[in-house]
Amino acid sequence: MENDKIYRMEFAKIYPLLAAKAEKKSRTKQEVDEVIRWLTGYSQEELEEMLEKPVAYGDFFRNAPALNENRRLIKGVVCGVRVEDIEEPLMQEIRYLDKLIDELARGKAMDKILRK
């Protein structure tokens, strides 16, 4: 039930929260976009389109053009839960992004965030 509420939230309302978290720690919106593009396979143009129209957060991930295979290398805790242990696939994708934004905000190097 709680997950459904998150899945129905608009991506355009969540994105500014993700960007603000990174920007508070002297990271940029461009870096946030790079992380999102890496994870989902959206182009910058597609990402900007998603911000212009109402797209549910769940649909943003369900319709991602190419989820990065290396996302499975993302490990750690978000909201008190280990991302690699989340059983609901869609929630795991969402928490992967949360973890990447956390790493960005903590000052981790971009090549480490993108698992290069």
Side-chain angles (χ1 to χ4, degrees):
M1 187 72 129
E2 181 68 25
N3 290 353
D4 288 337
K5 182 178 177 183
I6 294 169
Y7 300 158
R8 287 192 312 265
M9 294 176 76
E10 284 187 28
F11 174 69
K13 293 188 184 207
I14 294 171
Y15 176 84
L17 303 173
L18 299 172
K21 183 174 190 172
E23 289 172 337
K24 272 192 239 180
K25 301 291 185 170
S26 300
R27 299 307 286 255
T28 66
K29 177 189 164 298
Q30 290 77 19
E31 288 173 310
V32 171
D33 290 356
E34 183 177 353
V35 166
I36 294 171
R37 290 192 318 264
W38 176 87
L39 180 63
T40 63
Y42 285 111
S43 68
Q44 185 64 35
E45 295 78 25
E46 291 168 324
L47 180 56
E48 290 171 11
E49 284 176 23
M50 297 291 155
L51 294 171
E52 297 294 321
K53 58 185 179 180
V55 176
Y57 204 32
D59 291 340
F60 176 78
F61 285 96
R62 283 185 200 103
N63 299 326
L67 291 169
N68 194 303
E69 291 180 18
N70 287 340
R71 72 190 186 284
R72 302 285 182 217
L73 301 174
I74 301 168
K75 309 279 186 218
V77 177
V78 173
C79 299
V81 178
R82 295 197 79 55
V83 294
E84 60 269 27
D85 294 340
I86 297 172
E87 293 183 15
E88 167 63 39
L90 184 55
M91 182 53 67
Q92 188 174 48
E93 301 301 340
I94 289 170
R95 295 303 183 201
Y96 281 151
L97 179 56
D98 290 342
K99 182 63 180 167
L100 293 175
I101 297 300
D102 284 352
E103 291 177 357
L104 184 65
R106 282 198 301 265
K108 196 170 188 179
M110 191 60 85
D111 63 327
K112 301 275 188 210
I113 294 169
L114 303 183
R115 293 2 191 216
K116 291 183 180 180

